[in-house]
Amino acid sequence: MKLDAIVAAKRFIEDFHGECQFALLAGSVSKGLATASSDLDIIIFYEERTNTRESYVRYDWKIESFVHNHSSYKKYFAKEKESGRPVLASMIKDGIILKDHPLIYSIKQDAIDCLNEGPESLTPEFIRLSRYFVYDLLDDFVDSKNDDEAMIALNLLSTQVADFILRYNNQWTGRGKGLVRAFKEYDEALSTRYFYTLNEYFQNRNKQPFVDLVNEIYEPLGGQLFDGFKQ
């Protein structure tokens, strides 16, 4: 029988990282959102050990280990504020303590502070580039010769547009299901409309709702950029 998640995570710490200062179980398992394919995301802290990420299959679980030291996590937080995706900060904030240590609470507070501060604002250059490249893909979508071309263009566009909406409004974004959850949390009505436009194409081959939504988002920023573009 498969071991309980916390039991398996603690055994992993004992077997592979017995000398660590403290450790956390993060990810969907720690939030009660686990599925049949969920793995164990385990964050392990040493005082000075080199930052690594490693994957294992042990105790009938897939396990991802993220080893950090007292400075490496801060560098990750800075990168996440730049990218807008708070992966490590969220994991540390929500992580279940597997091995305790007084320092863990200050690091959890650092994660909370990072999340509360939010991501860095988009630069004018980022917005300018987005206007060019999103509309370049939108042209491919509108002018596509067949469904295969249209679907690839829309797949690329859909994540870029959702990500841009969140980042432009100084919201944290995500990847995959994290992007969906972040979008719904930010503006449920807008996310509902966004997914409606996607369904209109995939179910009815109607491109116009998505095209209209993109124009509404970008027109206040100057709309399509082509003439005079230089990189």
Side-chain angles (χ1 to χ4, degrees), residues 166-180:
L166 290 168
R167 293 298 312 281
Y168 181 73
N169 289 283
N170 296 312
Q171 301 294 311
W172 290 109
T173 184
R175 180 171 172 267
K177 60 187 178 184
L179 176 59
V180 175

Side-chain angles (χ1 to χ4, degrees), residues 27-156:
S28 58
V29 172
S30 69
K31 298 176 182 178
L33 300 173
T35 65
S37 62
S38 292
D39 57 11
L40 301 181
D41 295 319
I42 302 176
I43 309 171
I44 302 133
F45 276 86
Y46 289 83
E47 187 171 357
E48 295 181 346
R49 186 161 170 172
T50 302
N51 166 231
T52 60
R53 174 177 178 172
E54 297 180 350
S55 301
Y56 304 79
V57 177
R58 297 292 188 280
Y59 331 116
D60 294 324
W61 282 96
K62 290 189 294 183
I63 298 173
E64 293 271 13
S65 71
F66 304 85
V67 173
H68 282 278
N69 56 55
H70 293 184
S71 62
S72 66
Y73 79 94
K74 295 179 181 178
K75 295 176 182 177
Y76 269 75
F77 285 3
K79 291 178 182 178
E80 290 177 351
K81 288 177 73 68
E82 182 178 352
S83 71
R85 296 178 180 175
V87 179
L88 182 63
S90 296
M91 291 170 72
I92 291 176
K93 171 184 171 289
D94 297 328
I96 297 171
I97 297 173
L98 298 170
K99 183 176 181 180
D100 207 350
H101 185 282
L103 186 59
I104 198 169
Y105 301 98
S106 65
I107 292 178
K108 273 184 166 286
Q109 187 59 53
D110 287 345
I112 293 169
D113 292 342
C114 174
L115 291 167
N116 287 340
E117 289 166 5
E120 294 180 4
S121 298
L122 294 183
T123 64
E125 177 65 5
F126 187 103
I127 295 170
R128 189 181 74 89
L129 292 174
S130 184
R131 289 171 55 204
Y132 180 83
F133 288 109
V134 162
Y135 272 95
D136 185 52
L137 278 173
L138 192 66
D139 285 344
D140 288 345
F141 175 58
V142 171
D143 298 334
S144 56
K145 303 295 185 183
N146 52 60
D147 288 342
D148 293 344
E149 292 179 3
M151 284 189 288
I152 289 296
L154 184 56
N155 284 340
L156 291 169

Side-chain angles (χ1 to χ4, degrees), residues 187-201:
D187 190 326
E188 188 167 1
L190 182 57
S191 71
T192 298
R193 183 185 170 199
Y194 164 85
F195 285 108
Y196 163 79
T197 68
L198 299 185
N199 282 324
E200 269 297 290
Y201 176 73

